[in-house]
Amino acid sequence: MERRTFLRSVAAAAAAVSTPRVGTLAGMLTPPGYRAAVHVGQVPPDVLAVTGDGREVVIRGRDIAELARSLRGRVLLAGSEGYETARLVLNPSFDRHPALIAQVTGAADVRRAVDFARGNHGLLLAVKCGGHSFSGASTCDRGMMIDLSPFRAVQVDPTARRAWVTGGSLLGAVDHEAMDHGLATPLGTVSHTGVGGLVTGGGFGRLARRFGLSIDNLESVQVVTADGRLLRASAGENEDLFWGVRGGGGNFGVVTAFEFRLHPLERRVIAGRIRFPRSRARESLELYAEYAPTAPDEIQLDWGIALPPRGEEAVVGFDICFSGRASDLERALGPIRRLGTPMEDTLEEKDYVEVQRAGDITDPRAQAGYLKNGFVTRITPGLVTPIVEALEGHPERGTGVNFVQSGGAIGRVAPEATAFPQRDAEFMMLGGTGWAHGGDADPQEHIGYMRSFWGEHLEPHTHGFYTNDMPLEAVDADVARNYRDNLTRLVAVKNRYDPQNLFRLNANVQPSG
Ligand code: FAD
């Protein structure tokens, strides 16, 4: 099961990890029936909000009006048209209500919104791009959300092989514009994922073994830091910020522009899935464990086991994208063909951009789910056995374990070259469970199952986790440990660019001051 398919079935994290709702006092301050976005000249009522460190503060209506006047974009309050849509993220388990939302159209708006959050006692601040954060990091209760969705543009220079992408853009636009010139950069596998979140956290995808993670293909970024400055960062300018943004997530500010290197790529790639019944699980996973680390960089080979609900048949198999020469495909598939005739084989030549959007989720908020992840250096017999023997199905939930192949060009970058340290991993392992959102299913039961299965059988074989799929349970110490030897430098960068920890809704690097 490919990661995107897998994520579709577990498309939301734990509903049970509930968060406080908007306080009643906030309701009193914002009268019902207050409808429109805050218009220039209009003074809305005062709004109750919280700061990053949890203190309640009142934001004065005239300050909100002043913010609205200063933006090209819009300011939304509870009850404003568009507020109910803007506050949502992909994961339906998160039903949070920011005190106000600034919908920004450019870097100037972002600067004003950041100034506003900092100037109002350091409001709890969420930054939303594609809204895919599984842990709901891009929304909040009673804080401020900067919604980057009106800030979307991609420009390609085919001669220089560069793409300039604004901070609110989605992956699909980059793939589409770049491939128009026979070019591509490594990005994730679902086209409506945000560039802002995916790229600052790392960026795995179908081309990453060939060209590196998304962060490895950044030439420069522009960032609005906590003090409201707009800084350019590259290998020669604000190098520490450039280093931190590549793997340190949104810890240092709002990235308003990304400059990517592009690579020539044939529009036609060979992609699809090869499926077997569950009885072939051990054999196929053992083959995968042995072969994947030696496979050529041109192949992205993911293995998964899926146990669907309602007694449907469990399947195992490979999701494959091969971007090399067609004549080299069979060699690249290696020993997989030794498994004999599969129950399904959809491998064929396809348009790369279509492959990249084939897994898009039409109704992502219909599914709730729970996800764990961890990096794996070797798939040992001790890891194979519980996956093929002990993983249990359930009539109401889908359950699965999935390996995303790492290695190749990802592993040829030094762990200290960017803030992303897990360069030694050959795989990223995901374990998840999904159920119909709002149905009769007991989320606690499903979450409890995966949590204990993962903790007992899988976690001992992992070395850290992917911050972009950060487990809900991760506490500060886990996050700090996960940055490995890069933590000290990350703290220094944080101290320099965000000493008050304004940007804390992420895999947070705590400033030491
Ligand atoms: P958001 O929820 O908008 O933001 C997530 C975090 O990023 C927040 O902390 C936010 O503050 C920060 N952020 C967002 N924009 C900016 C910005 N411009 N500047 C600074 N900080 C910012 N990951 C992969 O590597 N490869 C995949 O193929 C992949 N597939 C996925 C498929 C699905 C269906 C889902 C749900 C997730 C997938 N992921 C994948 C994980 C994905 O990388 C993370 O969920 C990522 O955070 C999504 O980015 P976003 O902008 O959509 O998220």
Side-chain angles (χ1 to χ4, degrees):
M1 184 169 44
E2 191 180 43
R3 187 172 195 276
R4 65 194 153 91
T5 321
F6 176 76
L7 284 168
R8 186 189 310 157
S9 67
V10 293
V17 185
S18 62
T19 49
R21 293 298 181 83
V22 181
T24 46
L25 184 52
M28 286 158 58
L29 287 168
T30 310
Y34 183 75
R35 282 269 157 246
V38 178
H39 290 299
V40 174
Q42 174 193 42
V43 177
D46 294 351
V47 170
L48 187 75
V50 289
T51 62
D53 50 13
R55 281 174 298 123
E56 288 202 329
V57 289
V58 173
I59 314 176
R60 290 178 310 180
R62 66 169 182 273
D63 292 339
I64 297 172
E66 182 50 39
L67 174 67
R69 245 193 309 277
S70 72
L71 298 185
R72 264 189 75 227
R74 302 194 304 166
V75 174
L76 306 177
L77 300 176
S80 300
E81 199 183 330
Y83 173 89
E84 285 302 320
T85 311
R87 71 180 181 81
L88 297 179
V89 292
L90 184 95
N91 184 340
S93 301
F94 294 98
D95 185 24
R96 293 179 176 166
H97 295 76
L100 77 159
I101 300 174
Q103 293 194 307
V104 297
T105 60
D109 278 4
V110 174
R111 292 182 64 194
R112 282 163 193 158
V114 167
D115 283 344
F116 185 87
R118 191 191 61 251
N120 275 275
H121 313 282
L123 290 176
L124 178 65
L125 183 61
V127 178
K128 179 172 125 175
C129 175
H132 274 218
S133 162
F134 222 75
S135 59
S138 49
T139 187
C140 61
D141 271 326
R142 299 198 288 161
M144 177 174 177
M145 176 197 278
I146 297 180
D147 176 9
L148 295 161
S149 58
F151 184 22
R152 290 182 176 158
V154 176
Q155 199 185 348
V156 170
D157 179 339
T159 311
R161 292 187 183 159
R162 293 281 185 274
W164 287 269
V165 179
T166 59
S169 302
L170 303 183
L171 308 186
V174 188
D175 286 332
H176 179 72
E177 293 298 329
M179 189 40 79
D180 202 37
H181 305 280
L183 299 168
T185 201
L187 293 168
T189 54
V190 171
S191 84
H192 49 79
T193 312
V195 173
L198 179 129
V199 174
T200 53
F204 287 84
R206 295 185 174 91
L207 302 179
R209 299 187 70 254
R210 191 167 165 193
F211 300 123
L213 295 172
S214 303
I215 49 171
D216 302 330
N217 290 275
L218 279 177
E219 194 68 16
S220 72
V221 287
Q222 287 186 5
V223 187
V224 174
T225 49
D227 57 8
R229 282 182 302 162
L230 177 66
L231 299 179
R232 186 172 186 277
S234 66
E237 211 175 336
N238 297 308
E239 302 95 293
D240 52 351
L241 182 59
F242 188 52
W243 177 86
V245 161
R246 289 175 297 156
N251 263 293
F252 311 107
V254 182
V255 180
T256 54
F258 296 86
E259 182 188 355
F260 288 99
R261 284 189 291 279
L262 301 174
H263 308 270
L265 186 80
E266 290 291 329
R267 187 175 260 279
R268 308 297 290 177
V269 294
I270 298 166
R273 61 174 76 118
I274 297 180
R275 295 275 188 279
F276 296 92
R278 190 181 183 180
S279 56
R280 314 295 301 278
R282 178 179 292 279
E283 204 184 342
S284 62
L285 183 52
E286 283 174 353
L287 275 174
Y288 179 67
E290 191 190 316
Y291 177 61
T294 66
D297 294 354
E298 288 80 9
I299 194 163
Q300 180 68 33
L301 189 60
D302 297 344
W303 182 95
I305 177 167
L307 280 58
R310 289 176 291 281
E312 289 162 45
E313 203 180 333
V315 286
V316 300
F318 303 90
D319 271 282
I320 296 162
C321 181
F322 179 68
S323 60
R325 280 190 314 213
S327 55
D328 294 336
L329 173 71
E330 287 307 315
R331 195 161 45 86
L333 284 177
I336 288 161
R337 292 293 194 208
R338 269 194 254 141
L339 288 165
T341 310
M343 56 192 265
E344 184 190 13
D345 182 345
T346 65
L347 262 191
E348 61 178 354
E349 243 187 49
K350 291 175 186 150
D351 181 310
Y352 174 72
V353 179
E354 281 173 28
V355 172
Q356 285 286 82
R357 55 180 178 229
D360 287 3
I361 308 170
T362 46
D363 188 8
R365 292 182 58 84
Q367 283 281 315
Y370 176 73
L371 187 67
K372 301 285 279 184
N373 92 82
F375 287 109
V376 171
T377 42
R378 210 161 66 83
I379 302 174
T380 58
L383 180 54
V384 171
T385 297
I387 293 171
V388 302
E389 287 180 8
L391 192 66
E392 285 170 14
H394 191 283
E396 284 169 21
R397 62 151 196 260
T399 306
V401 173
N402 193 47
F403 288 94
V404 176
Q405 194 187 10
S406 184
I410 303 168
R412 290 194 287 273
V413 176
E416 69 283 359
T418 67
F420 179 95
Q422 284 89 4
R423 299 289 181 171
D424 50 353
E426 289 291 347
F427 308 94
M428 193 213 326
M429 177 170 63
L430 296 153
T433 164
W435 59 93
H437 179 59
D440 297 335
D442 175 6
Q444 280 309 326
E445 187 203 334
H446 304 324
I447 294 162
Y449 172 74
M450 183 44 74
R451 204 175 261 167
S452 66
F453 182 81
W454 180 275
E456 188 183 338
H457 297 295
L458 307 188
E459 190 157 22
H461 300 271
T462 63
H463 305 279
F465 54 84
Y466 183 32
T467 52
N468 270 359
D469 289 319
M470 192 162 74
L472 284 166
E473 302 77 356
V475 296
D476 292 347
D478 299 327
V479 175
R481 212 174 17 253
N482 196 55
Y483 285 119
R484 297 191 186 172
D485 294 344
N486 287 341
L487 180 66
T488 310
R489 188 170 178 197
L490 277 163
V491 172
V493 182
K494 184 77 174 178
N495 286 343
R496 181 156 184 205
Y497 294 101
D498 184 20
Q500 305 301 325
N501 207 6
L502 185 66
F503 300 105
R504 65 177 68 209
L505 293 178
N506 41 49
N508 196 222
V509 176
Q510 313 259 327
S512 62

